[in-house]
Amino acid sequence: MNGYIGCNCSIADDKFCHITSFDLKGYDLSGRLPPDLANLTYVERIDFTRNYLHGTIPVEWASMKKLNFISLTANRLSGNIPGYLGNFAGLTYLSLESNQFSGVVPPELGKLASLETLILSSNNLVGTLPEALEQIKNLTDFRVSDNNLNGTVPEFIGRWTQLGKLRITDTPGPEFPLPIVPYKMEFLVLRNINLSGTIPEDAWSVENTLDLTFNRLVGELPLNNIRRQFTFLSGNMLTGTVPEPFIQSNQYL
């Protein structure tokens, strides 16, 4: 178990200590998420990772003006991801990974203008990614792998100029070329999503991990120096020889 409840005794002009965070990871908590947390107006962070919480996210939390971090990873939350999450105006971090959410990714999430991290992996989401997500200009980490999504990777992802990590996998749909990759991403995983054509030059700027396995990519690997730690390209239709930089860096293909 790993957890604490944070307090601050100088956050307001009174003589009271105010709760500012709940970090209760792996405590086997059950039941529903408590709406009454909204009464704690100074809370900035809620992290209930690895518990047994069910139901959905209380709409009352939207009134918490200082709330900027929500992690509900690895619980039993279900139903549609509520559109009223778009009213949680101060959020910079939202992780709903490894739950039982279904339905589509709500376009209302595009209203979260301050959001930097959005993790929706390992649920039962369907449909395509809504165009409204383009409005999240400061997004640095976006993960939506291990769902039941379909369609193609939206072109607007190439306009998320701050994006450092992107993970979309196992999405059936028509063949489409690899979209523009934001410059110098750290982590790019687009596995088994029916990518076709050649790998564009900007994709090789990914710095740490590039995973494009099980697509329909063609062409040859570049001869330029490869500095990233991991490259995964198996399950494609690439041709030619393996350039020396790949061999010297012990990368997996």
Side-chain angles (χ1 to χ4, degrees):
M1 294 187 296
N2 179 19
Y4 67 91
I5 296 177
C7 296
N8 190 324
C9 299
S10 60
I11 199 170
D13 295 327
D14 54 32
K15 298 180 181 180
F16 300 99
C17 291
H18 295 277
I19 295 176
T20 57
S21 65
F22 289 89
D23 283 79
L24 301 173
K25 302 178 183 179
Y27 271 74
D28 296 339
L29 298 175
S30 59
R32 295 179 177 271
L33 295 169
D36 291 346
L37 287 187
N39 297 328
L40 304 173
T41 56
Y42 290 94
V43 170
E44 301 173 357
R45 178 185 175 96
I46 296 175
D47 191 342
F48 291 147
T49 297
R50 297 191 308 277
N51 286 288
Y52 297 101
L53 299 165
H54 65 273
T56 191
I57 303 168
V59 65
E60 290 84 356
W61 288 9
S63 66
M64 303 167 74
K65 303 302 182 184
K66 295 185 180 296
L67 184 62
N68 60 63
F69 183 106
I70 296 177
S71 178
L72 302 172
T73 300
N75 279 278
R76 297 176 176 175
L77 302 175
S78 60
N80 292 343
I81 295 177
Y84 54 71
L85 283 180
N87 298 327
F88 289 41
L91 282 186
T92 61
Y93 186 103
L94 176 62
S95 176
L96 305 180
E97 184 176 18
S98 297
N99 279 282
Q100 299 168 18
F101 284 111
S102 56
V104 301
V105 177
E108 291 87 350
L109 295 183
K111 295 162 56 178
L112 298 174
S114 300
L115 203 62
E116 297 175 2
T117 297
L118 178 58
I119 304 176
L120 305 176
S121 303
S122 301
N123 282 283
N124 299 309
L125 301 173
V126 298
T128 59
L129 296 175
E131 293 290 329
L133 294 183
E134 182 179 2
Q135 303 171 54
I136 312 177
K137 302 298 185 183
N138 297 319
L139 206 59
T140 62
D141 188 349
F142 180 63
R143 301 178 226 171
V144 71
S145 56
D146 190 24
N147 280 286
N148 298 313
L149 298 174
N150 56 49
T152 62
V153 177
E155 291 185 3
F156 64 74
I157 285 180
R159 297 191 284 275
W160 283 344
T161 57
Q162 306 302 313
L163 196 63
K165 295 181 179 180
L166 175 64
R167 186 175 183 121
I168 303 174
T169 67
D170 305 307
T171 301
E175 292 184 23
F176 67 102
L178 184 66
I180 295 174
V181 176
Y183 183 62
K184 285 192 175 179
M185 288 186 65
E186 178 187 357
F187 189 94
L188 176 63
V189 177
L190 297 175
R191 184 176 63 244
N192 191 25
I193 62 173
N194 223 12
L195 291 174
S196 62
T198 60
I199 301 174
E201 184 176 349
D202 55 10
W204 299 111
S205 67
V206 174
E207 295 182 340
N208 183 284
T209 299
L210 175 65
D211 184 348
L212 302 176
T213 52
F214 301 107
N215 286 290
R216 301 181 61 81
L217 297 168
V218 299
E220 298 185 0
L221 301 179
L223 298 176
N224 59 305
N225 191 20
I226 304 298
R227 295 185 176 88
R228 79 186 62 82
Q229 187 172 2
F230 299 108
T231 302
F232 303 95
L233 300 173
S234 59
N236 283 284
M237 297 179 288
L238 300 170
T239 56
T241 59
V242 178
E244 191 66 24
F246 282 90
I247 299 173
Q248 291 176 348
S249 61
N250 295 319
Q251 297 180 79
Y252 296 95
L253 297 173

